[in-house]
Amino acid sequence: EIVLTQSPATLSLSPGDRATLSCGASQSVTNSHLAWYQQKPGLAPRLLIYDASTRATGIPDRFSGSGSGTDFTLTISRLEPEDFAVYYCQQYGNSLPYTFGQGTKVEIK
Amino acid sequence: QVQLQESGPGLVKPSKTLSLTCTVSGGSISPYYWSWIRQPPGKGLEWIGNFYYSETTNYNPSLKSRVTISVDMSKNQFSLKLTSVTAADTAVYYCARHEYRITISGVVTPLGMDVWGQGTTVTVSS
């Protein structure tokens, strides 16, 4: 099983700041099959990025993903008020089971 | 626009079977992969398993001995059964659809999960 470790656990920032979230994998993720999701309280997760760097339909371009192998990053270039939420990475490569990171909470400073 | 709706009992007694259904509206089950995911209160996400049509079903090894995912194409529904539940199975259960890519060799490869149900809370308690 591939273990995903997200850092930091909490990120305290202000609107307009740049957010950089990390996701490290215990083994190489096949074909960069890594996704990022945003989750707000009481709601289902929302797909932001798949294949490490491809934005999902309707996702603003302030969200970008990068990385390959075992190190991946989600960057939010300028935080909007609606971006304060919990973010999860997830791998869906050849290695089952699919696994999620433990999440990074982006909170208002 | 595809929508997913989970349904089933909100309370299940310990040692019994949890049964949930996901109804797909506004679209077809084929040619997508579909997953079940759960989230215990205040915790992160856990992938339970997925299926593709009725050809392929994959389960999380941590739950494999207790989980069955099945599909009813005629009703555009798929289901989750989890046996011998305990309090540790208390969670919000989500169904979700995977985006997909078709490889050069014609194989459908699941990608990220782009459509999710709203989730249904299941509590295991006597």
Side-chain angles (χ1 to χ4, degrees):
Chain A
E1 172 174 324
I2 295 180
V3 176
L4 299 179
T5 302
Q6 292 187 240
S7 62
T10 303
L11 203 49
S12 298
L13 296 169
S14 301
D17 285 350
R18 181 184 185 90
T20 302
L21 289 68
S22 297
C23 177
S26 61
Q27 307 168 41
S28 183
V29 176
T30 314
N31 298 322
S32 295
H33 279 180
L34 186 117
W36 289 94
Y37 299 87
Q38 176 194 70
Q39 188 178 33
K40 297 180 179 179
L43 297 180
R46 173 194 180 198
L47 178 66
L48 301 174
I49 301 284
Y50 64 92
D51 283 357
S53 60
T54 303
R55 270 189 300 276
T57 303
I59 301 303
D61 60 8
R62 64 180 181 274
F63 292 92
S64 63
S66 63
S68 64
T70 61
D71 295 300
F72 299 88
T73 301
L74 174 70
T75 302
I76 310 172
S77 58
R78 286 179 58 85
L79 282 165
E80 298 288 340
E82 62 268 27
D83 298 337
F84 292 92
V86 178
Y87 292 82
Y88 294 95
C89 58
Q90 179 232 345
Q91 67 82 20
Y92 50 92
N94 292 344
S95 176
L96 291 173
Y98 297 162
T99 49
F100 290 88
Q102 80 280 18
T104 290
K105 181 179 182 180
V106 178
E107 65 176 21
I108 299 177
K109 186 174 182 180
Chain B
Q1 183 178 352
V2 175
Q3 293 185 315
L4 309 182
Q5 179 67 59
E6 304 91 348
S7 59
L11 180 64
V12 181
K13 294 185 185 303
S15 80
K16 300 300 186 182
T17 296
L18 179 161
S19 296
L20 297 175
T21 296
C22 181
T23 300
V24 180
S25 59
S28 175
I29 285 184
S30 65
Y32 297 92
Y33 275 80
W34 303 84
S35 276
W36 285 99
I37 306 96
R38 69 181 183 178
Q39 185 170 36
K43 296 188 178 181
L45 300 161
E46 179 182 30
W47 179 77
I48 298 171
N50 70 359
F51 76 94
Y52 174 65
Y53 286 84
S54 56
E55 294 178 10
T56 304
T57 308
N58 301 298
Y59 299 120
N60 191 322
S62 68
L63 299 168
K64 188 173 184 177
S65 63
R66 300 194 292 131
V67 173
T68 303
I69 295 174
S70 59
V71 59
D72 186 335
M73 302 286 285
S74 67
K75 293 183 178 179
N76 234 25
Q77 293 178 334
F78 59 99
S79 300
L80 170 71
K81 290 189 186 300
L82 182 65
T83 62
S84 304
V85 298
T86 69
D89 296 310
T90 294
V92 176
Y93 284 77
Y94 296 101
C95 56
R97 185 188 79 173
H98 291 258
E99 288 219 28
Y100 70 95
R101 172 182 298 120
I102 301 177
T103 67
I104 294 174
S105 55
V107 174
V108 176
T109 301
L111 304 177
M113 291 176 278
D114 65 335
V115 181
W116 291 65
Q118 64 185 26
T120 188
T121 299
V122 178
T123 301
V124 178
S125 175
S126 55

